[in-house]
Amino acid sequence: MSRALTEPESAALVAMIERGVPDDGVVGDADRREWLELVPWIRAGDRCGCGTCPSIELVVDERPGTAGGPRIVLVAGVAGALLLLFVDGGRPSYLELAPVGDERITEFPPADEIR
Ligand SMILES: [Zn+2]
């Protein structure tokens, strides 16, 4: 089952696509534009079960695309956490917030705090 992204999820996803830094290699503007065009079709799948983070699977609904292909990871920082966006085969697949310390962070932070 999937559901629509919440406002904070959608804003964090867009910020990550626009400003996330690839952990390896180069991501071009054309890639980022392509992923941004997918955003309206992206829904939230399962949420991480750990209870201390808001990480979600991303499901690109009702839109044909490539299956498989290389994985790209975009990384950004927020206060107390790292944000990671996984893109598999040209489709955003997972939006992760990884707390750096023991603090529970259960919502994605405002996009303007993502750097
Ligand atoms: Zn978690």
Side-chain angles (χ1 to χ4, degrees):
M1 290 295 286
S2 65
R3 58 166 174 80
L5 296 176
T6 64
E7 201 59 44
E9 287 167 348
S10 178
L13 172 60
V14 168
M16 288 302 293
I17 292 174
E18 290 177 341
R19 306 203 293 274
V21 176
D23 72 334
D24 185 31
V26 175
V27 169
D29 289 344
D31 292 319
R32 294 184 195 264
R33 266 199 305 276
E34 200 171 299
W35 301 337
L36 280 175
E37 284 172 8
L38 288 174
V39 169
W41 283 270
I42 294 178
R43 293 170 61 85
D46 288 340
R47 182 165 174 157
C48 174
C50 77
T52 64
C53 82
S55 304
I56 47 167
E57 283 181 2
L58 300 173
V59 180
V60 184
D61 225 3
E62 296 166 354
R63 176 144 171 145
T66 54
R71 163 168 283 190
I72 295 166
V73 185
L74 296 176
V75 183
V78 293
L82 279 179
L83 274 172
L84 298 100
L85 174 65
F86 294 83
V87 181
D88 286 300
R91 290 166 159 226
S93 63
Y94 200 79
L95 184 61
E96 178 170 347
L97 184 148
V100 172
D102 294 333
E103 195 184 347
R104 285 163 51 99
I105 302 177
T106 56
E107 292 288 343
F108 285 101
D112 60 7
E113 293 179 14
I114 297 172
R115 55 180 192 269

